[in-house]
Amino acid sequence: MRRQLRSRRGPVFPYGYGYRLDDQDEVNQNYLADEEEEAEEEARVMMALELEEEEDEEEKQEEEEEEKEQKEKEEGQGQPTGNSWWQQLQILNEYLWDPERRMSLSQTGLILVIYFFFYASLAAVVTVGMYMLFLTIIPYMPTFTERMKPGVMIRPFAHSLNFSFNVSEPDTWQHYVISLNGFLQGYNDSLQEEMNVDCPPGQYFIQDGDEDEDKKACQFKRSFLKNCSGLEDPTFGYSTGQPCILLKMNRIVGFRPEFGDPVKVSCKVQRGDENNIRSIHYYPESASFDLRYYPYYGKLTHVNYTSPLVAMHFTDVVKNQVVPVQCQLKGKGIINDVINDRFVGRVIFTLNIET
């Protein structure tokens, strides 16, 4: 442009020709205006070309998308109408075998497979170990019976082993009567005569035969408890302030009292004045568990076995006062002085009879 301006400039006139120079400046200004118009025209043309190119690219992209959709439709014509399961199957196939990466499973799948085989192996080891352990266990006879210590339990049920009632208020002792009646249902004479056999007293009832053979059980009738049976006195003495409490020794498979001496029960005041309990009657009168109820062969074979009982009939206890009572098992090899276990060989409870 500068060259053109230079070429179109008029020659330099000597002094005295000023009017010619003014005409030349006007010409140059007109030329510059024309150049600006041409530049604007060129810019508009370039913008128009760029817009046309963008429109062409958009049209091309739309055509490509339409072609792709058309192709997918054509490919999908051979597939089932409900193609959701088909797509899932394709995804599963690509997961099992990825042709692009040439891998049978992705990294996550490999980790899952590793964990599966690891935990499966661990479970197999534990299962085999437990199976081998169970092979050494005899279901009819515990392995470590010598570690078992005879324990005791009492009925009726009393919260915290505190027997507190008022003789003149039946509501305070009626629940004890109900508990005893329910507990002694299995000791009814008719039921015992039907299910069990009458064994001679004073000797073990040993039964030979296979371990899995059913064993017979000796009768322990409710009538053996006499005044505490609930047959003669339906209130078990609670209505007269002379309560009955039943004691049962826990079952131990294979247990036999040592030296053939039956285990006996003895009750006394635990602490305080011994005269607070002046009279206790025991039923059976021997206050012992007869030998004919031993040994016990376990619940799998000794199905009808009925645990023997000893009833304590507190006929003369001081009234309107809390009396702590301790009942112990007495016999060879019986442990009854464990401090941290109040039910091994003994039981401690309180009597509070109000009038």
Side-chain angles (χ1 to χ4, degrees):
M1 187 179 294
R2 289 180 181 178
R3 291 178 181 177
Q4 292 176 358
L5 288 174
R6 288 177 183 175
S7 62
R8 293 184 181 182
R9 286 179 183 176
V12 178
F13 296 98
Y15 180 78
Y17 296 91
Y19 67 97
R20 299 287 299 276
L21 293 174
D22 294 336
D23 295 338
Q24 187 65 32
D25 291 337
E26 184 178 355
V27 171
N28 290 338
Q29 290 177 358
N30 293 332
Y31 179 78
L32 290 173
D34 294 338
E35 288 292 330
E36 291 178 355
E37 291 179 358
E38 291 178 0
E40 292 177 357
E41 185 68 23
E42 291 178 358
R44 285 194 294 271
V45 171
M46 293 297 293
M47 291 179 63
L49 292 173
E50 290 177 357
L51 291 174
E52 290 179 358
E53 291 178 357
E54 292 177 358
E55 291 177 356
D56 292 339
E57 290 179 357
E58 291 178 357
E59 290 178 357
K60 188 182 292 184
Q61 291 178 357
E62 291 178 357
E63 290 177 358
E64 290 177 354
E65 291 178 357
E66 290 178 357
E67 291 178 358
K68 186 176 180 180
E69 291 177 358
Q70 185 66 23
K71 186 177 180 180
E72 290 178 354
K73 290 180 180 179
E74 291 177 356
E75 291 178 353
Q77 288 178 357
Q79 298 178 4
T81 55
N83 58 355
S84 59
W85 64 270
W86 180 263
Q87 292 176 355
Q88 294 177 359
L89 183 60
Q90 288 180 341
I91 293 172
L92 179 61
N93 290 334
E94 291 178 358
Y95 176 76
L96 297 175
W97 172 251
D98 190 350
E100 295 180 358
R101 294 186 294 176
R102 301 184 66 81
M103 294 178 62
S104 60
L105 288 173
S106 63
Q107 185 177 2
T108 304
L110 291 175
I111 293 174
L112 291 176
V113 170
I114 292 172
Y115 273 109
F116 172 77
F117 282 105
F118 171 75
Y119 285 110
S121 302
L122 185 62
V125 171
V126 173
T127 302
V128 172
M130 294 296 294
Y131 177 74
M132 297 300 294
L133 177 63
F134 285 134
L135 289 178
T136 63
I137 296 176
I138 302 174
Y140 304 103
M141 178 66 66
T143 306
F144 303 104
T145 55
E146 65 275 5
R147 297 183 182 181
M148 302 295 294
K149 302 178 180 63
V152 296
M153 60 168 289
I154 58 175
R155 286 292 182 270
F157 176 80
H159 182 68
S160 299
L161 298 180
N162 296 321
F163 294 90
S164 179
F165 62 95
N166 192 313
V167 176
S168 59
E169 297 179 6
D171 292 341
T172 61
W173 49 261
Q174 189 66 37
H175 59 284
Y176 297 135
V177 175
I178 295 174
S179 177
L180 286 173
N181 272 321
F183 177 73
L184 291 175
Q185 288 300 310
Y187 291 86
N188 287 335
D189 291 10
S190 59
L191 185 62
Q192 288 292 314
E193 292 173 356
E194 179 183 354
M195 297 174 56
N196 297 331
V197 297
D198 187 12
C199 307
Q203 60 184 12
Y204 296 121
F205 186 37
I206 298 175
Q207 304 177 61
D208 298 325
D210 298 334
E211 290 182 341
D212 58 349
E213 184 179 347
D214 290 342
K215 303 296 190 297
K216 297 179 181 180
C218 295
Q219 299 176 2
F220 189 95
K221 298 180 179 180
R222 184 171 181 171
S223 58
F224 292 172
L225 302 178
K226 296 186 177 180
N227 292 338
C228 287
S229 65
L231 301 176
E232 299 177 3
D233 180 7
T235 65
F236 297 92
Y238 285 86
S239 61
T240 58
Q242 299 176 335
C244 287
I245 295 178
L246 309 182
L247 187 145
K248 182 181 78 167
M249 190 166 65
N250 292 347
R251 300 178 183 181
I252 300 177
V253 177
F255 172 77
R256 301 183 195 180
E258 295 184 8
F259 305 110
D261 294 332
V263 178
K264 296 184 178 182
V265 178
S266 175
C267 298
K268 63 180 181 179
V269 176
Q270 183 196 17
R271 61 179 181 273
D273 189 358
E274 294 183 357
N275 292 324
N276 289 338
I277 299 178
R278 290 181 288 270
S279 175
I280 304 176
H281 294 168
Y282 296 95
Y283 305 104
E285 287 82 356
S286 61
S288 64
F289 302 100
D290 197 273
L291 297 180
R292 58 181 164 176
Y293 301 105
Y294 302 99
Y296 171 59
Y297 291 96
K299 64 180 181 180
L300 293 179
T301 57
H302 225 160
V303 180
N304 296 329
Y305 180 82
T306 306
S307 298
L309 305 173
V310 172
M312 294 87 67
H313 191 189
F314 296 90
T315 55
D316 192 357
V317 180
V318 64
K319 304 298 190 293
N320 303 313
Q321 182 179 337
V322 177
V323 180
V325 183
Q326 176 176 265
C327 294
Q328 293 178 313
L329 300 180
K330 301 286 187 177
K332 299 291 185 179
I334 300 297
I335 299 174
N336 56 19
D337 55 357
V338 179
I339 298 176
N340 57 357
D341 193 338
R342 58 189 297 186
F343 294 101
V344 174
R346 63 173 180 170
V347 62
I348 299 173
F349 56 92
T350 61
L351 290 174
N352 183 14
I353 304 173
E354 298 178 357
T355 58

